[in-house]
Amino acid sequence: MECQRMLVLVICLSVSGMRAVIAGNASRGLSTWNLFREDYLSARQTCHTMGFVKQQKANCNQKDTIAFDAELKSPLKGLRSGQKIIFPVIRENIGGGYDAINGVFTSPLSGMYVFQWTTVVTEIVSTDTVLVIDGQRRAFNKCNSRKANNDSCTKITVVKLAPGERVWIECILGDSAINDDKSSSFTGFKL
């Protein structure tokens, strides 16, 4: 708790010091951005020295980012139990793990992943779906519009994946439908 108070003090002093330096040096033509950057780096180094910042990767770049976002192209009707739901419209596919042809995400790196999927049913129907990892059912999402005639159902889950593991969404209730294609989506990213 004492370390947290010290961190807040360091940040506050850094920001207030920055304001004073900016005001004092503006008339001498010194760059506000350079002054801010120096104060930021000083505060960041202090936080690092005090143990508030973990060691960063030496080569941190977008290669480590894995994320995708896909949605339906058109409503789906007559879904069978065990049928894979394919989200063919890709909005993002950083890292190239999602295949819009077969609806499968293949993990390029090991780690913890977050998956979210939404199904929207607007007719008097029930559509139950499940997140599947290499054939094993992991997280369920029940969507029932029999009383409301319009239901949007979202499930979010966190899973640990090894490289090459495959993830998809599957229907688990026969004679199902997903009626709203623009709001029904499948998203995932690596933490």
Side-chain angles (χ1 to χ4, degrees):
M1 189 62 124
E2 186 62 35
C3 288
Q4 290 173 342
R5 281 189 219 130
M6 180 87 101
L7 175 63
V8 171
L9 177 64
V10 167
I11 292 171
C12 290
L13 288 174
S14 178
V15 171
S16 64
M18 177 186 71
R19 287 182 187 148
V21 169
I22 290 170
N25 289 318
S27 62
R28 291 187 292 182
L30 295 177
S31 166
T32 303
W33 169 248
N34 286 338
L35 296 171
F36 170 77
R37 186 173 181 275
E38 288 174 18
D39 280 352
Y40 169 77
L41 293 174
S42 175
R44 185 168 181 237
Q45 181 59 42
T46 302
C47 292
H48 181 60
T49 302
M50 294 177 68
F52 288 106
V53 179
K54 293 181 182 178
Q55 187 67 22
Q56 293 185 344
K57 294 179 184 177
N59 187 14
C60 184
N61 57 35
Q62 197 167 353
K63 278 194 329 188
D64 297 336
T65 302
I66 308 295
F68 73 92
D69 183 33
E71 64 186 35
L72 294 179
K73 185 175 186 175
S74 60
L76 302 175
K77 297 189 186 277
L79 294 170
R80 302 175 320 277
S81 180
Q83 181 177 345
K84 191 183 303 172
I85 299 172
I86 298 171
F87 298 85
V89 180
I90 295 177
R91 297 292 176 211
E92 293 291 340
N93 196 11
I94 301 166
Y98 183 73
D99 184 341
I101 303 297
N102 64 15
V104 174
F105 170 78
T106 304
S107 171
L109 300 171
S110 64
M112 297 301 294
Y113 287 80
V114 175
F115 292 99
Q116 174 269 321
W117 72 102
T118 299
T119 54
V120 179
V121 293
T122 56
E123 296 177 3
I124 299 176
V125 70
S126 183
T127 300
D128 297 353
T129 56
V130 63
L131 180 94
V132 180
I133 301 174
D134 283 341
Q136 301 296 311
R137 293 177 172 179
R138 293 290 297 269
F140 296 85
N141 189 2
K142 184 172 185 66
C143 202
N144 183 346
S145 69
R146 293 179 195 257
K147 293 182 182 176
N149 198 30
N150 185 6
D151 204 3
S152 174
C153 305
T154 299
K155 175 69 178 181
I156 298 173
T157 191
V158 178
V159 297
K160 184 175 184 179
L161 295 178
E165 285 190 290
R166 298 164 33 95
V167 181
W168 64 89
I169 304 299
E170 189 174 281
C171 181
I172 56 173
L173 186 65
D175 197 28
S176 294
I178 300 174
N179 307 99
D180 187 338
D181 53 309
K182 298 300 178 201
S183 298
S184 298
S185 62
F186 181 30
T187 302
F189 59 91
K190 183 178 181 295
L191 291 175

